[in-house]
Amino acid sequence: MAEQTLANHSDRLNAINIYPVADADTGTNLYLTVRSASQALADIEPCDVGATMAAAGRAAMEQARGNSGTLFSVFLSALAEPLAGQSRLSAPLLAAALQRAQLRSWSALSEPVPGTILSVLEAAARGASIMEGSLNGDDSNQALALTLDAAVQAAREAVVLTESQLGVLADAHVVDAGGVGLLLILDCLRSVVLGVPLDEELLDGLSGYKVQDPNIALTMPEQLGVEVMCTLNLTPLAAAGLRMQLDELGDSVIMSAVTETADATGAYPWRIHVHVPSPAIALDAIQAVGDPSNVSISALSPNAANDAHDLL
């Protein structure tokens, strides 16, 4: 359901995508990332909630696209951790999972910023925790429904606030695209788990989100530089060192372990995302500490004529 919903909304999400760079691709990136997770689940046997979510998270992280897709994949992977071995979702488990997901997502970014998808996730986790706390550990389906409703409502309120939290959004009179995307995904979760329709009024009144609103992303100045993404096996210490180096070379640095299982050398696979002036700047630093796989390089400007291969 999330895959189809994001496909339906990708054009409007792209149109308001102006932070951290106006590259008009948040909707596309979230859709492609969620599609990767969905395709992975089609190839596995049904298992417990945590294992299913973990498989989806690994697939999403390996194929994540952009800032929003990368942060969503971190969110999905972290969401799985408190659900390991569980046969069904409950209000206490949902609250714990959302809390874990928001902590992992904030820590994945070198410079987390309020007014983004992170604020929406934090609000959803807080809303779920407050509601679940008032239910005194009730693990009934009714309690789960109340907790999911509270998470979605808190997320929507946070999306509205993004416009006032970031100057670039306030100037353009739009809400954060990544935040709206996460809100849609959370409503899909609520719909599937509870067997209820999506909230048709969920996005009513969000700044910049009417169909007739302009494509604000395409009116912004051209974005210079490229987005580099890859997967790399590193020990936690080496990962911390690479993060520091990438912070000096570029911005929008996101690093998160793909799994919690280390190899014989103590290394974990890490998914790496960074914006830099040119590919070589990031790749030289990355290749100095390991052999990257699943490398993706994209121009930040939606109007750029060069493709990823031309940029290498």
Side-chain angles (χ1 to χ4, degrees), residues 91-92 128-140 142-148:
S129 293
I130 291 172
M131 176 57 71
E132 192 278 324
S134 72
L135 298 172
N136 299 314
D138 186 349
D139 65 355
S140 67
Q142 182 180 8
L144 177 59
L146 291 171
T147 304
L148 278 165

Side-chain angles (χ1 to χ4, degrees), residues 62-188:
E62 284 289 357
Q63 301 298 324
R65 301 282 290 268
N67 288 60
S68 55
T70 305
L71 286 172
F72 168 72
S73 66
V74 174
F75 155 77
L76 193 58
S77 296
L79 201 68
E81 294 167 10
L83 304 179
Q86 301 296 324
S87 60
R88 61 178 286 271
L89 188 62
S90 66
L93 286 172
L94 174 66
L98 286 174
Q99 182 66 20
R100 177 63 174 159
Q102 72 100 1
L103 289 173
R104 278 277 303 277
S105 298
W106 276 88
S107 64
L109 263 171
S110 290
E111 297 182 0
V113 176
T116 63
I117 188 173
L118 295 176
S119 295
V120 178
L121 177 52
E122 182 178 46
R126 184 170 59 249
S129 293
I130 291 172
M131 176 57 71
E132 192 278 324
S134 72
L135 298 172
N136 299 314
D138 186 349
D139 65 355
S140 67
N141 289 338
Q142 182 180 8
L144 177 59
L146 291 171
T147 304
L148 278 165
D149 286 342
V152 172
Q153 181 57 38
R156 189 193 187 283
E157 292 170 1
V159 168
V160 173
L161 287 176
T162 61
E163 182 181 359
S164 62
Q165 290 175 296
L166 285 170
V168 64
L169 300 183
D171 291 343
H173 304 293
V174 297
V175 291
D176 180 68
V180 179
L182 179 62
L183 175 61
L184 288 167
I185 291 168
L186 289 172
D187 195 41
C188 288

Side-chain angles (χ1 to χ4, degrees), residues 106-301:
W106 276 88
S107 64
L109 263 171
S110 290
E111 297 182 0
V113 176
T116 63
I117 188 173
L118 295 176
S119 295
V120 178
L121 177 52
E122 182 178 46
R126 184 170 59 249
S129 293
I130 291 172
M131 176 57 71
E132 192 278 324
S134 72
L135 298 172
N136 299 314
D138 186 349
D139 65 355
S140 67
N141 289 338
Q142 182 180 8
L144 177 59
L146 291 171
T147 304
L148 278 165
D149 286 342
V152 172
Q153 181 57 38
R156 189 193 187 283
E157 292 170 1
V159 168
V160 173
L161 287 176
T162 61
E163 182 181 359
S164 62
Q165 290 175 296
L166 285 170
V168 64
L169 300 183
D171 291 343
H173 304 293
V174 297
V175 291
D176 180 68
V180 179
L182 179 62
L183 175 61
L184 288 167
I185 291 168
L186 289 172
D187 195 41
C188 288
L189 175 65
R190 183 188 69 87
S191 175
V192 170
V193 171
L194 303 183
V196 298
L198 293 171
D199 184 352
E200 294 183 356
E201 300 178 353
L202 187 67
L203 307 182
D204 288 355
L206 296 184
S207 295
Y209 212 77
K210 296 185 181 70
V211 173
Q212 64 269 30
D213 287 334
N215 189 324
I216 192 69
L218 296 182
T219 69
M220 303 296 284
E222 183 174 344
Q223 306 296 307
L224 301 178
V226 296
E227 174 185 76
V228 176
M229 299 185 65
C230 68
T231 302
L232 188 65
N233 277 18
L234 295 169
T235 65
L237 183 60
L242 178 60
R243 181 191 288 273
M244 291 179 62
Q245 191 170 4
L246 293 178
D247 284 338
E248 294 175 354
L249 297 173
D251 53 34
S252 294
V253 177
I254 307 173
M255 289 183 61
S256 183
V258 177
T259 71
E260 292 192 311
T261 304
D263 64 17
T265 69
Y268 300 79
W270 294 77
R271 192 61 180 164
I272 299 167
H273 170 283
V274 62
H275 292 171
V276 285
S278 67
I281 291 175
L283 292 176
D284 286 350
I286 291 167
Q287 290 168 343
V289 294
D291 183 18
S293 62
N294 200 6
V295 178
S296 169
I297 301 173
S298 305
L300 294 179
S301 172

